[in-house]
Each structure stands twice: as structure tokens, then as C-alpha cells.
Amino acid sequence: MKQVYLTVKSNEPIAAGTWKMVLEGDTSAVTGSGQFVNIALPGLFLRRPISVCDLSEGLLTLVYKVVGKGTDAMSAMAPGTRLDILTGLGNGFDASACESSALLLGGGVGTAPLVLLTRELRSRGKSVTVLLGFNRAGEEMLAAELEALGARVEIATLDGSKGTRGFVTDILHQKADGPDAIRYDYFYACGPMPMLKAVCGAIDAPGEMSLEERMGCGFGICYGCSCHTVNGPRRVCADGPVFKKEDLIWQSK
Amino acid sequence: MAIEVNLCGVRLRNPIIPASGTFGFGLEMKDVYDLNLLGGISLKGTTREARFGNECPRIAECPDGMINSVGLQNPGIEVFVNEKLPALRKIYSGAIIANISGFSEDEYRECCEKAAQAPEVDILEVNISCPNVHGGGLAFGTSAKAAAGITRIAREVSSKPVFIKLSPNVTDIVEIARACEDAGADGLTLINTLLGMRIDIVRRRPVVANRYGGFSGRAVFPIALRMVNQVARACKVPLMGCGGVATAEDVVEMMMAGATAVQVGAENLRDPYACKRIIEDLPGVMSRLGIKDINEIIGIV
Ligand SMILES: Cc1cc2nc3c(=O)[nH]c(=O)nc-3n(C[C@H](O)[C@H](O)[C@H](O)COP(=O)(O)OP(=O)(O)OC[C@H]3O[C@@H](n4cnc5c(N)ncnc54)[C@H](O)[C@@H]3O)c2cc1C
Ligand SMILES: Cc1cc2nc3c(=O)[nH]c(=O)nc-3n(C[C@H](O)[C@H](O)[C@H](O)COP(=O)(O)O)c2cc1C
Ligand code: FES
């Protein structure tokens, strides 16, 4: 963990209610995808945890959805704004766990951390398929960035207004065989809890997923964010947020 | 500038102590800054058995504060004594305060005895004020008779100074404080969190899964200060003042109200360097106020 001041370089809407913020400054504590930062915002007591979306040449990219006071305040921040941020939090994804073909699944703004993960996997020479799920057309995000990194991207929307109708798991069922079948030996997932549960139920391959929980500190001292694992209670912020599928208790139940 | 204080014979290099539950077992903070600059550390509340605590969500933000309903997650007294304490003592030479909770008099007795026997422990802080567990903690802290009972038990089994940690969720905190003092408490810590609630108005349900939780942070400072002052004026034993402390000025104010040492809780969560910052700011604030020895202001108001 490292406390730094980062400067907003750009801050723009990229999809319905969703913004991309690029920050400049000391990003040295960020070691990989799946980690997050915790942002202090004026007038708010607790920091706001946001995943690392991308990292390159001293620039840190965050993608966030406006859902309340804090994210609303972030969306109004002009370039040049300085932010007090705890960086390098959490364990992150294990890009070395995939042998040759990775399946990435993102739900809503859970897509964000998959960008840097795709970059890491591609640089290790792995093939990457990304399945993204949203409520409706207009919410989809980051597909072009992921494709530019060499990933195959498929989209599902609940109302069918874009891509496959239904959940990301419905894309999997549709493309289980045939010439364009999706093949993978390991999966990575990030999204809301019900999606993660469905993903674990639908996929036999091993994998890991990033959990979300309300946080007090974000760096492991308050025990406000614990989850149940086969190894006992674990802190989502410091022992996670990424956990192996077989370690989560709701998985082995 | 003198900032050393003395708590029942335990010398603290300064009066600043991270409050129980907001600094883990100390070890979690070892890479953040050198713990040896702290006056003391009050460790996470410990019970006889290991506990997961309450289900998540167990954190809710509030204006100038927060609610927690962690519910005493801890690895149990054996792991605490055999693993956590020795590991902390290896890297930290200041005062170690063991914070003990329980669900019965027997549990308090067993845990207080084991913690007091641990060579690493300097002070026992007996928590009779946790609002987050049913049938334990707070139940002992809201009745003068029960509070005195736990105090006697802790005093009996401990050769180390015993501080009783008081709840603000009572009609008359002075009555409880006096009962603990009369039962042999060497000191008192106050306040624990105030029972509070937030509702998610979109989902129409409480934010924390346990419905209610303990409210603390800057917003509670005036209440904590008032209670410390009331108890200081009624009791002779030294006090650890706690609740809403975020700056060196707050420390001075808390000590003027009657505290000998000052605990910093929720502020550690927003600012990992809170205690370090406060300790570094303290001499400057003292010299601005013409204070040469911090001990001269204890309870002067
Ligand atoms: C490890 C982690 C990574 C995350 N990454 C992203 C990301 O990349 N992009 C993104 O848009 N969101 C992300 N989130 C969710 C994000 O933290 C919340 O949407 C945000 O805190 C909401 O703040 P607010 O003030 O706008 O909402 P409010 O509802 O006003 O917030 C009130 C309180 O609840 C907390 N809170 C509310 N919703 C959530 C939530 N879903 N998860 C955790 N805490 C919440 C806030 O932090 C705050 O303490 C992440 C959460 C975690 C735990
Ligand atoms: C996340 C959290 C966990 C806590 N856990 C404990 C505990 O285990 N034992 C205890 O005596 N007090 C516990 N407390 C209470 C604090 O030690 C302190 O008394 C209270 O928070 C008031 O101080 P503050 O306003 O500075 O936070 C906890 C507080 C918080 C915020
Ligand atoms: S949020 Fe404090 S330990 Fe995870």
C-alpha cells in the first residue's frame, strides 16, 4: 500500500452513467490487474474503492459507474484535480494460472479490471476470450479496447438490445461447440455476486474471481469486509479481492 | 517538550494509542510505518473461541463518521496469546493493550486470565460495551451491577492493570464508571461506539446486515468529550479517552477533559497515517498553546 497524490488527466463518459478517469503520478505501488485503489473524496468519511482498469507509462486508468454521492462527485472532477489515493491494494489476478486459453467474464462495470488482465495475458502469449454482460445497449463498455489488445469479445444484454439476449453464461451455452466454439482452460470473472455464482455453476474449468464488499479501510486493519473461505475468514480488501473458485465457501457448498 | 505519560505504572512515550478494532493486531500495519512511535496499541477485541463475526455488509458510511457491525471477528484467545502477541512484540516495544470480550462471566474470567499471564501484555482492556453481539459485551456494560461483577473477575485474575471499556449507550455513564472503580478497576476507557443505523432507501433495508451497528468517527467527538469529562470529575482512576479523535488539537482537548491517554479509532481507517500524523503534530500544537509538559493539562477543565 502506498498513499499518493494523483492528478486527473482526463475524465470522460464512455457509456451510460459510466466514466473513465485517467490519473497521472506515482503509480509504482500498482503491481497488476485485479488490484484496486481507495480514493479520498472531499466531505466523505470513507474512501471509495475502484479497480485498476489499466496501467501504462505512469498513467492509471479507472472506469467507474455513478451510483451515489462519491462517484457523482468524481464525475464532476476537472483535469488538474489532485486526489489523495491509496494505491497497490489487494492481491490481484494471477495471470500465470492460465495455460493457454483464458476466458474472462465481466458483468457491468466489473469489465474494468479485465483490460489490464487482458494486456497481461496477451503479453504472456495466451489467447483471450472476453464475455461481457450488461442490462441493455448503451451500457456496454471497453469492448474496442479489449479487441485492440487481441481479445475476442462477445456481449450479452438482459433485454437483448445488443448481442446475445440474457447473461454471459448464455453466450457460453450458445457457443459450446461448432466452428466458433469458445475454448479455455481457466477463467477470470468480475461482476455482481449473483453473476459470479452463476459463472461458478456454469463452468467446470478452474478459475478465480474478484469479489466486492463494503469496506471500512481497504487495507486490512478493520475486518469490515470479511468473506468465508475454506481456509477460514479472509479479508476481501487485503487477502482478496481475487479468490480462487474452490476457496470460496458458497462454491464448495 | 514532555509528552510521556504514565498509565498505572505503564510508561507511554506519548499519549496516542490506536483504538481496539481499528488497527487489527498491529501486525497488519507493520509495513505502513514504524509502530514504535506509538504510545501504545489496543488490539482487536478477543474472545475465547474464534469468531467470524456478523455477515457482511458490516460497514456503513455516515456524515462525519461510520457504522461498523464487525461483531468481534478474531482468531480466539489461544491464537491471540500464542501467535499474535509474540509476533507483535518482536517488532514493537511500546505498551500492548489486550482488549477482551466475552459472552459470560466465565468467558471473561478465562480470557482475562490468559491475556494477563501473557508476558507481552502491559494493560488489560475489558470491553463490556460491544454493541454488535447479542447476549454479550454490551449486556454487561449497561448495568452497574453486571459491570462491577466483570470488573471484580478481571481484577481477581489479572496481575496487570485492568481498564474497563465503557459504553455510551447508557442513561448515566458516571454510575457505571463509579461501580467499576469501586469494584477495583485500575482505569477506564471511554467511549465505545454508539448504537446506530442507516437504511438503504432504494432497496428499503438496513445497510448493515445486522440491522444496527456501532457509530463512531469525528461526529461523536463532542459526546465522547462530555462523557470523559463527567467521568473524570467523578472518578479518581486514569482514563483513556476515545471517540472521534482526528487531530493533535483533539488530543489536547480530550486530555483537558480528563484523559491521561487518547485512543484514535475510525480515523485510522480513512487515513492509515492518522496516529503518526497526530504524534508528529502534537509538539507544535503544544508549543502554540504554551504547554511544556502534556501532563499539566490532564483534567484541567
Ligand atoms: C475492490 C472493489 C473494486 C471496485 N471497483 C469498481 C470499479 O472499478 N468501478 C466501479 O464503478 N465501482 C467499483 N467498485 C464499487 C465502488 O466502490 C462503489 O460503486 C462506490 O464506492 C460507490 O460510492 P458512492 O459514493 O458513489 O455510492 P454511495 O452509495 O453513496 O456510497 C455509500 C457507501 O457505500 C459504499 N458502497 C456503495 N456501493 C458499493 C459497492 N458496490 N461496493 C463497495 N462499496 C460500496 C461506498 O464506498 C460508501 O462507503 C468496487 C468496489 C470494490 C470493493
Ligand atoms: C471497525 C471497528 C471495530 C471495532 N472493534 C472494537 C473491538 O473489537 N473492541 C472494542 O473495545 N472496541 C471496538 N471498536 C470501538 C473503538 O475501539 C472505539 O471505541 C470507537 O470506535 C470510538 O472511537 P472513534 O470515534 O475514534 O472510532 C471498534 C470500532 C470500529 C470502527
Ligand atoms: S475494509 Fe478494512 S479490513 Fe477490509
Side-chain angles (χ1 to χ4, degrees), chain A residues 222, chain B residues 19-22 44-45 68 72 99 127 165 191-193 216-217 220 242-245 264-266:
Chain A
C222 77
Chain B
S20 177
T22 66
K44 176 74 198 151
N68 90 82
L72 297 173
N99 181 284
N127 177 10
K165 185 158 177 185
I191 57 175
N192 207 315
T193 53
S216 73
V220 311
C242 179
V245 174
V264 179

mmCIF file of all heavy atoms in Angstrom, chain A residues 222, chain B residues 19-22 44-45 68 72 99 127 165 191-193 216-217 220 242-245 264-266, ligand 2:
data_model
loop_
_atom_site.group_PDB
_atom_site.id
_atom_site.type_symbol
_atom_site.label_atom_id
_atom_site.label_comp_id
_atom_site.label_asym_id
_atom_site.label_seq_id
_atom_site.Cartn_x
_atom_site.Cartn_y
_atom_site.Cartn_z
ATOM 1 N N CYS A 222 -9.458 -3.193 9.540
ATOM 2 C CA CYS A 222 -10.722 -3.058 10.278
ATOM 3 C C CYS A 222 -11.563 -4.330 10.294
ATOM 4 O O CYS A 222 -12.522 -4.434 11.041
ATOM 5 C CB CYS A 222 -11.539 -1.892 9.726
ATOM 6 S SG CYS A 222 -12.395 -2.210 8.164
ATOM 7 N N ALA B 19 -7.172 2.716 18.677
ATOM 8 C CA ALA B 19 -8.243 2.071 19.436
ATOM 9 C C ALA B 19 -8.496 0.655 18.934
ATOM 10 O O ALA B 19 -8.288 0.340 17.764
ATOM 11 C CB ALA B 19 -9.527 2.898 19.327
ATOM 12 N N SER B 20 -8.985 -0.165 19.844
ATOM 13 C CA SER B 20 -9.275 -1.562 19.512
ATOM 14 C C SER B 20 -10.189 -1.670 18.290
ATOM 15 O O SER B 20 -11.173 -0.947 18.166
ATOM 16 C CB SER B 20 -9.949 -2.234 20.709
ATOM 17 O OG SER B 20 -10.303 -3.558 20.375
ATOM 18 N N GLY B 21 -9.838 -2.582 17.390
ATOM 19 C CA GLY B 21 -10.663 -2.850 16.218
ATOM 20 C C GLY B 21 -10.347 -1.980 15.026
ATOM 21 O O GLY B 21 -10.883 -2.186 13.942
ATOM 22 N N THR B 22 -9.471 -0.994 15.225
ATOM 23 C CA THR B 22 -9.150 -0.085 14.121
ATOM 24 C C THR B 22 -7.669 -0.152 13.756
ATOM 25 O O THR B 22 -7.151 0.716 13.041
ATOM 26 C CB THR B 22 -9.515 1.370 14.468
ATOM 27 O OG1 THR B 22 -8.681 1.823 15.541
ATOM 28 C CG2 THR B 22 -10.961 1.479 14.899
ATOM 29 N N LYS B 44 -7.255 -5.793 18.541
ATOM 30 C CA LYS B 44 -8.609 -6.209 18.180
ATOM 31 C C LYS B 44 -9.239 -7.043 19.295
ATOM 32 O O LYS B 44 -8.569 -7.894 19.891
ATOM 33 C CB LYS B 44 -8.523 -7.022 16.879
ATOM 34 C CG LYS B 44 -9.836 -7.609 16.404
ATOM 35 C CD LYS B 44 -10.759 -6.558 15.819
ATOM 36 C CE LYS B 44 -12.206 -7.045 15.753
ATOM 37 N NZ LYS B 44 -13.180 -5.958 15.861
ATOM 38 N N GLY B 45 -10.513 -6.796 19.584
ATOM 39 C CA GLY B 45 -11.226 -7.500 20.644
ATOM 40 C C GLY B 45 -11.136 -9.015 20.485
ATOM 41 O O GLY B 45 -11.338 -9.545 19.402
ATOM 42 N N ASN B 68 -20.001 0.383 12.125
ATOM 43 C CA ASN B 68 -19.444 -0.949 11.885
ATOM 44 C C ASN B 68 -20.257 -1.956 12.666
ATOM 45 O O ASN B 68 -20.715 -1.682 13.775
ATOM 46 C CB ASN B 68 -17.959 -1.012 12.271
ATOM 47 C CG ASN B 68 -17.758 -1.418 13.722
ATOM 48 O OD1 ASN B 68 -17.795 -2.608 14.065
ATOM 49 N ND2 ASN B 68 -17.591 -0.437 14.591
ATOM 50 N N LEU B 72 -16.817 -8.533 16.465
ATOM 51 C CA LEU B 72 -15.724 -9.228 17.153
ATOM 52 C C LEU B 72 -15.137 -10.395 16.376
ATOM 53 O O LEU B 72 -14.947 -11.487 16.919
ATOM 54 C CB LEU B 72 -16.183 -9.721 18.537
ATOM 55 C CG LEU B 72 -16.596 -8.630 19.526
ATOM 56 C CD1 LEU B 72 -17.176 -9.263 20.779
ATOM 57 C CD2 LEU B 72 -15.422 -7.731 19.868
ATOM 58 N N ASN B 99 -7.439 -6.294 24.385
ATOM 59 C CA ASN B 99 -8.855 -5.953 24.510
ATOM 60 C C ASN B 99 -9.665 -7.245 24.543
ATOM 61 O O ASN B 99 -9.660 -8.030 23.599
ATOM 62 C CB ASN B 99 -9.256 -5.064 23.325
ATOM 63 C CG ASN B 99 -10.707 -4.620 23.376
ATOM 64 O OD1 ASN B 99 -11.607 -5.393 23.089
ATOM 65 N ND2 ASN B 99 -10.920 -3.373 23.739
ATOM 66 N N ASN B 127 -13.642 -5.121 27.440
ATOM 67 C CA ASN B 127 -14.708 -4.496 26.663
ATOM 68 C C ASN B 127 -16.058 -5.014 27.136
ATOM 69 O O ASN B 127 -16.427 -6.148 26.859
ATOM 70 C CB ASN B 127 -14.466 -4.831 25.180
ATOM 71 C CG ASN B 127 -15.551 -4.303 24.272
ATOM 72 O OD1 ASN B 127 -16.402 -3.525 24.684
ATOM 73 N ND2 ASN B 127 -15.521 -4.723 23.017
ATOM 74 N N LYS B 165 -13.703 -0.904 29.543
ATOM 75 C CA LYS B 165 -14.116 -0.036 28.436
ATOM 76 C C LYS B 165 -15.625 0.176 28.462
ATOM 77 O O LYS B 165 -16.407 -0.771 28.338
ATOM 78 C CB LYS B 165 -13.686 -0.623 27.096
ATOM 79 C CG LYS B 165 -14.003 0.310 25.941
ATOM 80 C CD LYS B 165 -13.163 0.021 24.733
ATOM 81 C CE LYS B 165 -13.549 0.916 23.571
ATOM 82 N NZ LYS B 165 -12.816 0.555 22.364
ATOM 83 N N ILE B 191 -15.062 6.432 24.945
ATOM 84 C CA ILE B 191 -16.256 5.603 24.825
ATOM 85 C C ILE B 191 -16.102 4.557 23.715
ATOM 86 O O ILE B 191 -15.304 4.737 22.808
ATOM 87 C CB ILE B 191 -17.509 6.471 24.487
ATOM 88 C CG1 ILE B 191 -17.295 7.265 23.197
ATOM 89 C CG2 ILE B 191 -17.870 7.386 25.636
ATOM 90 C CD1 ILE B 191 -18.484 8.068 22.697
ATOM 91 N N ASN B 192 -16.899 3.510 23.816
ATOM 92 C CA ASN B 192 -17.068 2.595 22.703
ATOM 93 C C ASN B 192 -18.051 3.262 21.724
ATOM 94 O O ASN B 192 -18.396 4.429 21.875
ATOM 95 C CB ASN B 192 -17.586 1.238 23.210
ATOM 96 C CG ASN B 192 -17.176 0.099 22.279
ATOM 97 O OD1 ASN B 192 -17.299 0.220 21.061
ATOM 98 N ND2 ASN B 192 -16.696 -0.986 22.839
ATOM 99 N N THR B 193 -18.517 2.525 20.737
ATOM 100 C CA THR B 193 -19.374 3.118 19.708
ATOM 101 C C THR B 193 -20.811 3.313 20.191
ATOM 102 O O THR B 193 -21.275 2.632 21.103
ATOM 103 C CB THR B 193 -19.403 2.222 18.463
ATOM 104 O OG1 THR B 193 -19.761 0.899 18.873
ATOM 105 C CG2 THR B 193 -18.047 2.171 17.787
ATOM 106 N N SER B 216 -19.231 5.621 15.049
ATOM 107 C CA SER B 216 -18.068 6.316 15.601
ATOM 108 C C SER B 216 -17.453 7.199 14.524
ATOM 109 O O SER B 216 -17.949 7.268 13.407
ATOM 110 C CB SER B 216 -17.038 5.312 16.125
ATOM 111 O OG SER B 216 -16.377 4.668 15.047
ATOM 112 N N GLY B 217 -16.360 7.876 14.890
ATOM 113 C CA GLY B 217 -15.746 8.820 13.967
ATOM 114 C C GLY B 217 -15.964 10.248 14.451
ATOM 115 O O GLY B 217 -16.612 10.483 15.474
ATOM 116 N N VAL B 220 -18.766 11.889 16.710
ATOM 117 C CA VAL B 220 -19.076 11.557 18.106
ATOM 118 C C VAL B 220 -18.164 12.283 19.105
ATOM 119 O O VAL B 220 -18.338 12.149 20.317
ATOM 120 C CB VAL B 220 -19.013 10.020 18.379
ATOM 121 C CG1 VAL B 220 -19.807 9.256 17.318
ATOM 122 C CG2 VAL B 220 -17.578 9.507 18.450
ATOM 123 N N CYS B 242 -11.554 8.262 24.233
ATOM 124 C CA CYS B 242 -11.692 7.707 22.884
ATOM 125 C C CYS B 242 -13.014 8.157 22.286
ATOM 126 O O CYS B 242 -14.016 8.253 22.983
ATOM 127 C CB CYS B 242 -11.653 6.186 22.992
ATOM 128 S SG CYS B 242 -11.842 5.330 21.425
ATOM 129 N N GLY B 243 -12.997 8.421 20.987
ATOM 130 C CA GLY B 243 -14.222 8.784 20.286
ATOM 131 C C GLY B 243 -14.032 10.034 19.450
ATOM 132 O O GLY B 243 -13.925 11.134 19.981
ATOM 133 N N GLY B 244 -13.931 9.854 18.147
ATOM 134 C CA GLY B 244 -13.901 10.990 17.231
ATOM 135 C C GLY B 244 -12.600 11.761 17.157
ATOM 136 O O GLY B 244 -12.550 12.832 16.551
ATOM 137 N N VAL B 245 -11.545 11.243 17.758
ATOM 138 C CA VAL B 245 -10.278 11.972 17.749
ATOM 139 C C VAL B 245 -9.614 11.856 16.370
ATOM 140 O O VAL B 245 -9.460 10.764 15.833
ATOM 141 C CB VAL B 245 -9.329 11.430 18.839
ATOM 142 C CG1 VAL B 245 -7.960 12.095 18.733
ATOM 143 C CG2 VAL B 245 -9.939 11.654 20.215
ATOM 144 N N VAL B 264 -7.291 6.616 19.206
ATOM 145 C CA VAL B 264 -7.757 7.056 17.888
ATOM 146 C C VAL B 264 -8.350 5.846 17.176
ATOM 147 O O VAL B 264 -7.667 4.841 16.993
ATOM 148 C CB VAL B 264 -6.579 7.621 17.064
ATOM 149 C CG1 VAL B 264 -7.049 8.052 15.680
ATOM 150 C CG2 VAL B 264 -5.908 8.767 17.809
ATOM 151 N N GLY B 265 -9.628 5.933 16.789
ATOM 152 C CA GLY B 265 -10.298 4.789 16.191
ATOM 153 C C GLY B 265 -10.496 4.926 14.698
ATOM 154 O O GLY B 265 -9.578 4.760 13.895
ATOM 155 N N ALA B 266 -11.721 5.269 14.304
ATOM 156 C CA ALA B 266 -12.122 5.257 12.892
ATOM 157 C C ALA B 266 -11.202 6.090 12.001
ATOM 158 O O ALA B 266 -11.082 5.815 10.806
ATOM 159 C CB ALA B 266 -13.565 5.747 12.764
HETATM 160 C C1 LIG C 2 -14.248 -1.191 12.693
HETATM 161 C C2 LIG C 2 -14.282 -1.018 14.201
HETATM 162 C C3 LIG C 2 -14.076 -2.133 15.029
HETATM 163 C C4 LIG C 2 -14.083 -2.006 16.414
HETATM 164 N N1 LIG C 2 -13.846 -3.105 17.190
HETATM 165 C C5 LIG C 2 -13.759 -2.955 18.549
HETATM 166 C C6 LIG C 2 -13.397 -4.059 19.394
HETATM 167 O O1 LIG C 2 -13.149 -5.185 18.914
HETATM 168 N N2 LIG C 2 -13.316 -3.855 20.737
HETATM 169 C C7 LIG C 2 -13.569 -2.622 21.297
HETATM 170 O O2 LIG C 2 -13.471 -2.477 22.513
HETATM 171 N N3 LIG C 2 -13.907 -1.552 20.522
HETATM 172 C C8 LIG C 2 -14.006 -1.702 19.173
HETATM 173 N N4 LIG C 2 -14.319 -0.605 18.397
HETATM 174 C C9 LIG C 2 -14.580 0.691 19.038
HETATM 175 C C10 LIG C 2 -13.348 1.590 19.018
HETATM 176 O O3 LIG C 2 -12.279 0.999 19.706
HETATM 177 C C11 LIG C 2 -13.670 2.957 19.621
HETATM 178 O O4 LIG C 2 -14.040 2.788 20.970
HETATM 179 C C12 LIG C 2 -14.816 3.675 18.918
HETATM 180 O O5 LIG C 2 -14.737 3.432 17.531
HETATM 181 C C13 LIG C 2 -14.819 5.175 19.159
HETATM 182 O O6 LIG C 2 -13.649 5.795 18.652
HETATM 183 P P1 LIG C 2 -13.562 6.524 17.203
HETATM 184 O O7 LIG C 2 -14.703 7.521 17.148
HETATM 185 O O8 LIG C 2 -12.231 7.167 17.180
HETATM 186 O O9 LIG C 2 -13.749 5.465 16.184
HETATM 187 C C14 LIG C 2 -14.323 -0.724 17.001
HETATM 188 C C15 LIG C 2 -14.525 0.385 16.159
HETATM 189 C C16 LIG C 2 -14.503 0.263 14.781
HETATM 190 C C17 LIG C 2 -14.704 1.486 13.924
#
